Amino acid sequence: MPGYPVLPEGIAYGGDYNPEQWPEEVWHDDVRLMREAGVNLVSLGIFNWSLLEPAEGVYDFGRLDRIIDLLDASGVKVDLATPTSSPPVWFRKAHPDSRLVDREGHVIAGGSRHSFCPSSPHYATAAGRIAERIASRYASHPAVVMWHVHNEYGWANAQCYCETSAEAFRDWLRERHGDVGALNTAWGTTFWGLTYGSFEEVEPPRVAPVGQLTGLQLDFARFCVDAHIANFRRERDVIRRFSDLPVTTNFMIPNCRPMDYWRWAGEVDVVSNDHYLDAARADGHIELALAADLTRSVAGGRPWMLMEHSTGAVNWQPRNLAKRPGEMRRNSLAHVARGSDSVLFFQWRASRYGAEKFHSAMLPHAGTGSELWNDVVALGAELGKLGRVRGSRVEADVALVWDWESYWALELEWRPTADLDFRERVEAFYEALWREHVTVDFVHPSADISGYKLVVAPSSYLLTEASAKNLHRYAEAGGHLVVSYFSGIVDENDTIHSGPYPGVLREVLGLSVEEFHPLRENETVALGDHGLTGRIWSERVRLAGAHAVQDFTEGPDAGHPAVTCHELGAGAAWYIATALDPSRDGDDGSTAPDPSRDEDTAPDPSRDEDTALDSSRGSDVIPDPSHDGDAVSDPAGDGDAALDPSRDGEAASDPARDGDVAEGRDSHGLPGAIHDGGVAGGRELRGVLRAILDRAGVSRPRGLPDTLEFVRRGDHVFLINHGHEPVTVRGVSGTGVFDDAEYPGPVTVPPGGVTVVERAGGA
Ligand code: GAL
């Protein structure tokens, strides 16, 4: 890979720098303050096109020359952008046929960025030309260490429905299907008599009166991804003519649904990602962890770069909450823990005008007299001590299946229930595993999964026969597979696999599904006799090799299997036929106080109220004192309660949990921990998964509260406390990276705090 890592040493720290919004005298202040904050990398020139090329073919690089030289003199390196996400006004005027058209046929106005058709040949020419000018001019500038092509492909113009796009789509279809007969077969066009006589007759899936061919919609979604990738490749290849520095473009994993980042993964030299917390969510730090794990997985496990996040509030959500004290630090270090070699923000200095003037920045409107600025400086100093983590890897025993095509397909119109939601199910499983302190990778269902102890497919509605075989082979070879309802239903064209549901998964799961019984809104059904509750979905499962672990005891499928297990030699395949909630111990991370600030040590009651009112998470919001006790004391008294058994031989040192497992297998063959409704956090999905994790031999820290994020990256252990109470973690010994203290035994992480321990001797 060309030239990665980008900096001679250390974690990259900085952000988007938009000096063109400021008079030049401010630039000198900027670089002085960047040095004070420990900034070593900025992304420059992202929105500069109209300044660099004020009229077609007329260039002015004076300002960019001066700022790059100034940064160079100050030792700040540059991630140099091509400005092609925001074409100049003259471009739009000169090429009206390059304008973006939405699904309803509206021509989208200018006065904003991303307002162009991704298939426009005029755009391709103009973007290629400016990229060439920039690359040839700055390729050997000593400040430039990497290239930042465009900005967030597909963020606001993922799909364009203009005639130029329609023509390009037809060419793409010719390439994919070969002849129109094959297209008709793939899309099932005999339905409603929608057969095409030629490719010329195909239109993009513009607004239709009623349900539209789903094959058409899926192929259009794929085509749109490829149109953006083609734009990226053009610029990347232009740059490569002049430079062998790494080329990236900033992804938006997982919050840009139209972009299939598995398709993008091989295109960039280093994966970089932008991530913004959803301020409406009390558990935003779990979604952040999911995003970081998915980004690492898209990067193939290699280190990646956090290209943007925020120091505080964004400006584009309905309610833009400032981050709580300590939250920026926790967020930043969580990204590093999960594989990022950079902590970069949008943006360096807060804008005074334009659409984003209320967005936080490293240097806020309040200036250097602010707590935020102090935090930015402190974070820079801490990251300076974390350099040895760079390049190291995160290893995971568990993988979650994530497929953007399944995401798209599941959410097309006319499904059995409007409550089917790809993100909801993936996040439920992810949260349950996060709260069990299990770090996961994400995988495409066709990927090599043989190295994982457990693979979970939470929402694999669209699953090709080849991918299903991959999952089957995995379980047969001794792997442990968990599949959630409404998976394995259709192929890549959204055609139902033949025979009873779940088509291509019937054999591996050892069952079939005779009828779906989606539940009414807010309806629940009980299963088992240990307090498990299903939402959204029930269905009639017929066993064919699998055995029932839990039956529905209520609802349309009462007396029939709800959780099943199919033993396959050394491996097994489980099936969960309803939506179980992850359940939590009780403390809510978003309210973690900053112990260094007196006024913040008390929980924020307004936030607590929000949490308590969140009925979807409902039953476990009251903290369980018995569990907190486990967190701060070592019930086994052996000083090693939190250790990972695979690494230290402490296979199960939490008596409470050991007791569950020691109950043995229940009458249906699953280890007894599935019955641990009495243990805090053990109900619902967590309880089910805990039993399966044990069966699959997945080691993990024991006896910790579920607000403590525990991640191992190479020789470093990151302990991030999202809760209100101090947490003592036993069995992690080594050197504290931030305080240089030796930790021979227990490490106590303060509320809201982060401790990073580098293990002695790199063991
Ligand atoms: C990103 C974008 C930045 C800025 C930021 C604000 O999506 O790349 O340019 O707009 O959002 O949160």
Side-chain angles (χ1 to χ4, degrees), residues 143-479:
V144 177
V145 292
M146 66 183 293
W147 300 99
H148 180 300
V149 170
H150 198 87
N151 192 63
E152 297 187 336
Y153 277 100
W155 177 69
N157 62 344
Q159 288 112 0
C160 177
Y161 295 82
C162 73
E163 259 319 298
T164 305
S165 289
E167 216 21 76
F169 179 42
R170 288 172 200 126
D171 289 343
W172 185 94
L173 289 171
R174 283 186 190 99
E175 186 79 12
R176 180 174 173 85
H177 295 282
D179 64 77
V180 78
L183 176 145
N184 281 316
T185 307
W187 292 359
T189 53
T190 49
F191 178 79
W192 285 353
L194 299 170
T195 307
Y196 294 96
S198 72
F199 285 104
E200 287 313 308
E201 293 174 8
V202 180
E203 285 179 69
R206 300 180 174 118
V207 172
V210 73
Q212 205 166 29
L213 286 171
T214 49
L216 162 68
Q217 295 187 63
L218 283 178
D219 269 353
F220 189 67
R222 295 180 181 114
F223 153 75
C224 291
V225 176
D226 286 354
H228 289 284
I229 290 178
N231 285 330
F232 170 76
R233 281 187 186 149
R234 183 179 313 107
E235 293 191 37
R236 178 199 62 199
D237 294 348
V238 162
I239 290 169
R240 285 203 173 139
R241 284 174 23 221
F242 302 96
S243 165
D244 59 5
L245 293 171
V247 182
T248 193
T249 183
N250 44 342
F251 296 162
M252 292 157 282
I253 298 171
N255 295 316
C256 184
R257 196 178 75 135
M259 285 298 111
D260 178 346
Y261 290 112
W262 295 128
R263 275 168 116 89
W264 273 94
E267 304 289 339
V268 293
D269 296 324
V270 53
V271 164
S272 64
N273 199 46
D274 299 348
H275 183 265
Y276 292 93
L277 289 181
D278 176 352
R281 296 176 65 146
D283 61 354
H285 55 280
I286 301 181
E287 194 271 340
L288 180 156
L290 182 156
D293 285 346
L294 182 54
T295 304
R296 182 186 66 252
S297 305
V298 166
R302 286 184 292 277
W304 52 279
M305 295 182 73
L306 176 64
M307 188 59 83
E308 294 180 22
H309 71 151
S310 70
T311 57
V314 300
N315 62 295
W316 41 265
Q317 295 180 8
R319 290 167 200 82
N320 297 294
L321 274 58
K323 288 191 178 176
R324 298 277 302 164
E327 196 174 0
M328 174 183 76
R329 177 174 183 252
R330 289 193 297 280
N331 292 167
S332 299
L333 293 170
H335 282 295
V336 175
R338 292 175 188 277
S340 176
D341 274 357
S342 68
V343 173
L344 303 170
F345 292 95
F346 178 83
Q347 62 176 328
W348 162 252
R349 185 186 276 273
S351 300
R352 285 189 51 220
Y353 48 81
E356 299 188 314
K357 53 187 168 295
F358 297 116
H359 197 291
S360 60
M362 297 177 83
L363 184 54
H365 292 300
T368 54
S370 58
E371 289 189 354
L372 180 54
W373 173 252
N374 293 340
D375 289 347
V376 164
V377 173
L379 180 61
E382 285 193 334
L383 292 175
K385 297 180 179 177
L386 255 180
R388 281 206 293 276
V389 86
R390 187 176 85 173
S392 60
R393 294 207 176 207
V394 177
E395 306 291 342
D397 285 340
V398 178
L400 286 182
V401 174
W402 177 294
D403 180 1
W404 271 275
E405 296 205 351
S406 191
Y407 191 171
W408 301 336
L410 180 69
E411 295 176 8
L412 294 173
E413 66 271 24
W414 292 1
R415 297 317 187 206
T417 165
D419 297 329
L420 287 164
D421 179 338
F422 176 90
R423 283 288 292 268
E424 186 275 339
R425 259 316 76 192
V426 177
E427 291 191 18
F429 278 86
Y430 183 87
E431 178 177 345
L433 291 163
W434 188 96
R435 292 189 184 281
E436 289 297 305
H437 313 290
V438 175
T439 302
V440 305
D441 284 342
F442 286 88
V443 290
H444 187 272
S446 65
D448 176 5
I449 50 176
S450 55
Y452 294 102
K453 292 182 175 166
L454 174 64
V455 171
V456 184
S459 188
S460 294
Y461 161 69
L462 181 157
L463 194 69
T464 63
E465 205 173 325
S467 291
K469 283 197 174 121
N470 187 42
L471 300 179
H472 198 154
R473 271 194 306 271
Y474 164 75
E476 265 178 349

Side-chain angles (χ1 to χ4, degrees), residues 396-691:
D397 285 340
V398 178
L400 286 182
V401 174
W402 177 294
D403 180 1
W404 271 275
E405 296 205 351
S406 191
Y407 191 171
W408 301 336
L410 180 69
E411 295 176 8
L412 294 173
E413 66 271 24
W414 292 1
R415 297 317 187 206
T417 165
D419 297 329
L420 287 164
D421 179 338
F422 176 90
R423 283 288 292 268
E424 186 275 339
R425 259 316 76 192
V426 177
E427 291 191 18
F429 278 86
Y430 183 87
E431 178 177 345
L433 291 163
W434 188 96
R435 292 189 184 281
E436 289 297 305
H437 313 290
V438 175
T439 302
V440 305
D441 284 342
F442 286 88
V443 290
H444 187 272
S446 65
D448 176 5
I449 50 176
S450 55
Y452 294 102
K453 292 182 175 166
L454 174 64
V455 171
V456 184
S459 188
S460 294
Y461 161 69
L462 181 157
L463 194 69
T464 63
E465 205 173 325
S467 291
K469 283 197 174 121
N470 187 42
L471 300 179
H472 198 154
R473 271 194 306 271
Y474 164 75
E476 265 178 349
H480 292 80
L481 176 69
V482 178
V483 175
S484 183
Y485 59 88
F486 208 54
S487 290
I489 305 294
V490 297
D491 68 8
E492 65 272 32
N493 297 309
D494 199 46
T495 295
I496 292 181
H497 289 296
S498 59
Y501 310 126
V504 287
L505 290 175
R506 276 197 311 268
E507 217 182 303
V508 66
L509 295 173
L511 53 78
S512 66
V513 173
E514 188 176 316
E515 188 67 84
F516 301 143
H517 292 131
L519 302 177
R520 295 202 171 82
E521 199 175 1
N522 300 324
E523 185 184 354
T524 60
V525 288
L527 44 143
D529 47 4
H530 298 278
L532 295 179
T533 309
R535 295 184 295 115
I536 297 174
W537 196 260
S538 175
E539 63 187 8
R540 184 61 50 86
V541 172
R542 301 289 185 199
L543 299 174
H547 58 265
V549 174
Q550 299 287 345
D551 286 341
F552 288 105
T553 54
E554 264 183 0
D557 298 294
H560 294 275
V563 179
T564 67
C565 175
H566 189 206
E567 304 283 350
L568 289 151
W574 280 268
Y575 185 60
I576 304 177
T578 187
L580 301 176
D581 284 330
S583 89
R584 65 171 68 158
D585 288 358
D587 195 358
D588 175 62
S590 70
T591 60
D594 176 354
S596 67
R597 294 182 188 156
D598 289 340
E599 72 276 19
D600 282 310
T601 50
D604 174 347
S606 62
R607 291 292 205 90
D608 281 350
E609 195 176 294
D610 283 346
T611 308
L613 288 174
D614 181 354
S615 57
S616 66
R617 316 262 177 201
S619 59
D620 280 307
V621 293
I622 313 293
D624 177 342
S626 67
H627 194 83
D628 283 348
D630 286 353
V632 292
S633 66
D634 174 7
D638 60 11
D640 277 317
L643 275 178
D644 173 343
S646 71
R647 297 178 193 250
D648 60 27
E650 292 292 333
S653 50
D654 176 349
R657 296 185 187 213
D658 288 349
D660 294 331
V661 179
E663 270 178 37
R665 297 165 80 80
D666 68 11
S667 55
H668 301 292
L670 201 65
I674 198 165
H675 291 320
D676 70 356
V679 175
R683 289 183 289 274
E684 311 295 6
L685 195 49
R686 279 178 74 190
V688 173
L689 282 179
R690 188 181 290 166

